[in-house]
Amino acid sequence: MSAWRLLLTRTEQEGQALAQTLASEGIHCACLPLLGIEQLPETPQHGATICDLHRYTAVIVVSKPAARFGLELLDRYWPQPLSDQPWFSVGAGTGQILADYGLTVFWPKNGDDSEALLELPELQEPLKAAMFPRVLIIRGEDGRTLLADSLRAQGVEVDYLPVYRRMLPTYPAGTLQRLIQVERLNGLVVSSGQGLMHLQQLAADDWPTLAQLPLFVPSPRVAEMARELGAVDVVDCRGADTAALLAALRAQASPDS
C-alpha cells in the first residue's frame, strides 16, 4: 500500500475513473469535483461554424468536454469523413476521444498545455503552407487566450466555438477541510488552472493550511500559479493524465502515513 492519500478534484466521472486506477496501485483517494461542466445551449453559430469546417486549416480542441460536445455537433452538421483535416488537442486524453471518432489528431507528447501545442511541427507546418491560414478553437465559454493570441501574431485567422461553461459546484461551508481531515488526506491534485482557483476559492480561510500539503499540478504554468497563491510544495506532473500523475507520485518521497 502507498502512503499517499489524495484529494482528486476532477469532474465526477473523470475523478471516479482516476480513483479506481489509483486504488489498483494502492493509493487511497477521495473525490471532490471542483469543475462542474454545463453544455451551452446550441445557437445558429454552432451549426454555421461546423458547416464551414472545410474552411479551416486546422481545428484545436482544448479539453475533454470540448471534444465530447464538439463531436455531438459534428454528428449533426458534418456527418461526412474528415480524414484529411488535421485536428489538435492540448493533451492525450482529449486527443484519444477525437482519434476514437476517426479524426486525424496530433497532441504534444511532453506536456499538456498550450505552450507545448504551439511548438508542434504538425501544427506549424500546415499553417505556414497555407496562403490564408485559419484555425478553429473548440473550447469552453472562458479560458486562456494564449493559443489564439500566439496564432494571430503569426498572421493566422482564429475563430472560437464555445460549447460549455465551467463552474464551481456548490458545497456547504467547511466541506473541503472536513473531507481532508476525515480521510486523512496528505496530497492534493488539480488538473487545470481553473481547478486550482476553485480549490482556493472553496478553501477560503483554510487555504493557508491546505497550501502546506503537496499539490500535484499538470503543467509549469499551473505550478507557477500555485506558488503565487502560496502553495509550499508544488509538484509539476508534466501532464494531466494518469501516467503522468503516477510517475510524479513515485518520484516523490513517501509522505508520513
Side-chain angles (χ1 to χ4, degrees), residues 99-215:
D100 290 345
Y101 188 83
L103 300 172
T104 301
V105 192
F106 304 94
W107 61 82
K109 299 303 186 287
N110 298 310
D112 287 4
D113 55 27
S114 300
E115 291 84 349
L117 176 59
L118 286 165
E119 295 177 359
L120 271 187
E122 292 87 350
L123 175 62
Q124 290 297 327
E125 288 169 4
L127 294 180
K128 292 176 181 177
M131 185 172 295
F132 300 106
R134 190 176 184 184
V135 169
L136 176 66
I137 299 178
I138 303 178
R139 65 171 204 164
E141 191 173 44
D142 299 306
R144 298 181 73 195
T145 63
L146 175 68
L147 273 174
D149 292 344
S150 299
L151 292 171
R152 286 169 179 153
Q154 299 175 33
V156 178
E157 184 176 351
V158 179
D159 294 328
Y160 283 130
L161 183 63
V163 292
Y164 69 97
R165 65 170 58 96
R166 285 175 169 169
M167 66 199 73
L168 174 60
T170 301
Y171 295 107
T175 295
L176 176 59
Q177 186 67 10
R178 283 195 297 273
L179 180 62
I180 290 173
Q181 291 174 348
V182 170
E183 297 286 342
R184 296 182 291 110
L185 304 181
N186 54 26
L188 312 172
V189 182
V190 297
S191 57
S192 68
Q194 191 164 25
L196 172 63
M197 298 305 295
H198 285 179
L199 178 66
Q200 186 202 31
Q201 181 180 343
L202 186 62
D205 293 342
D206 292 322
W207 174 246
T209 300
L210 298 189
Q212 305 300 311
L213 293 175
L215 175 62

Side-chain angles (χ1 to χ4, degrees), residues 206-237:
D206 292 322
W207 174 246
T209 300
L210 298 189
Q212 305 300 311
L213 293 175
L215 175 62
F216 294 85
V217 303
S219 69
R221 178 185 67 88
V222 182
E224 183 178 355
M225 288 176 58
R227 294 186 184 102
E228 289 176 352
L229 292 174
V232 174
D233 186 3
V234 181
V235 181
D236 178 8
C237 301

Side-chain angles (χ1 to χ4, degrees), residues 7-50:
L7 175 73
L8 306 182
T9 60
R10 298 183 180 187
T11 59
E12 183 173 2
Q13 181 179 3
E14 292 183 1
Q16 292 296 337
L18 177 58
Q20 290 180 5
T21 301
L22 294 177
S24 68
E25 299 287 334
I27 300 169
H28 174 80
C29 299
C31 296
L32 187 68
L34 297 184
L35 289 173
I37 303 295
E38 180 181 55
Q39 187 172 9
L40 293 176
E42 190 175 316
T43 67
Q45 178 198 356
H46 288 93
T49 301
I50 296 298

